[in-house]
Amino acid sequence: MNENQQPNWVSSWVWGLFLSLLSVNGLSAKATARLLAEDNSKWGVVRVEERQGKRYLLIDGVVQGAQPLNASSSLPSIGDPLVQLLDAGSPAEPNRQTVLLIGLGTGNTATQLQRSKRKLAVVEINPTVIAFARKYFGYRGPITTGDGAAHFRQVPDIRYDAIVVDALTAKQLPSALISDHFIRRSLYA
């Protein structure tokens, strides 16, 4: 594939990302909450709150993920929409087994990707998010602390079948993860 061609799955990825942003931003309404943890990190104020039967991870007041307090239903029955996009595949690329996930959040997406038996690398820039995902949301999988956009420079010999960008700075994607340079490097590495 040359640099002027767009893979078939790119439009699915963009729509999935748009729907993820829409659903996350729609959950930022205030309700009486019990604060479990808070840290003023370099990338914003990270909080874990409980309200309305769920535990939430927020950065600068915007919900990044949630989990029901009922332990038996810690993962949504319908599945993570980003994982569903990978599972749907495309005729051109049906087998996405090696996945890079940029952004950890609560760890739900990473956990579901691991359960689907994919080879997974997870990169999260914010150590507070990692600590809170482990302590308050039960994430137990592998994680690399670092900049997802810089990950390719650090491990140049690794190729991925899919790259899932699930990283937000409050209400937007980090500019480095939507730059032409990052996208070209991701698609043509």
Side-chain angles (χ1 to χ4, degrees):
M1 169 183 316
N2 69 43
E3 291 190 24
N4 294 326
Q5 291 178 314
Q6 181 182 33
N8 295 336
W9 56 268
V10 169
S11 60
S12 296
W13 178 82
V14 170
W15 275 109
L17 183 59
F18 171 77
L19 293 174
S20 295
L21 287 170
L22 184 63
S23 67
V24 167
N25 285 326
L27 292 173
S28 62
K30 299 288 184 206
T32 303
R34 183 169 78 108
L35 179 64
L36 299 179
E38 181 175 78
D39 183 58
N40 191 8
S41 76
K42 178 180 175 181
W43 296 275
V45 177
V46 183
R47 297 171 56 105
V48 177
E49 299 178 352
E50 288 181 353
R51 65 176 182 252
Q52 300 173 328
K54 293 182 183 169
R55 182 170 290 167
Y56 293 89
L57 176 71
L58 300 96
I59 300 178
D60 290 337
V62 177
V63 174
Q64 303 295 308
Q67 174 177 302
L69 292 176
N70 178 350
S72 66
S73 62
S74 63
L75 294 175
S77 60
I78 60 168
D80 186 288
L82 297 174
V83 176
Q84 289 178 342
L85 279 171
L86 286 178
D87 289 343
S90 75
E93 299 180 46
N95 194 14
R96 298 186 188 126
Q97 294 302 311
T98 305
V99 178
L100 171 63
L101 173 61
I102 299 174
L104 179 64
T106 64
N108 182 44
T109 300
T111 298
Q112 287 194 37
L113 286 167
Q114 288 173 322
R115 288 182 180 169
S116 68
K117 307 293 187 219
R118 290 181 168 93
K119 183 178 177 187
L120 178 65
V122 184
V123 180
E124 169 60 54
I125 199 168
N126 192 334
T128 299
V129 169
I130 296 170
F132 287 2
R134 290 197 186 285
K135 183 172 183 178
Y136 297 102
F137 297 93
Y139 180 68
R140 299 287 175 254
I143 185 79
T144 299
T145 304
D147 182 340
H151 181 74
F152 293 104
R153 291 188 301 275
Q154 296 163 350
V155 287
D157 296 333
I158 296 178
R159 295 185 53 90
Y160 298 99
D161 298 321
I163 298 168
V164 178
V165 178
D166 192 16
L168 296 172
T169 58
K171 295 183 179 184
Q172 63 186 25
L173 284 167
S175 60
L177 295 176
I178 56 174
S179 70
D180 286 343
H181 175 74
F182 175 77
I183 293 170
R184 288 182 194 283
R185 174 65 178 99
S186 301
L187 293 175
Y188 308 109

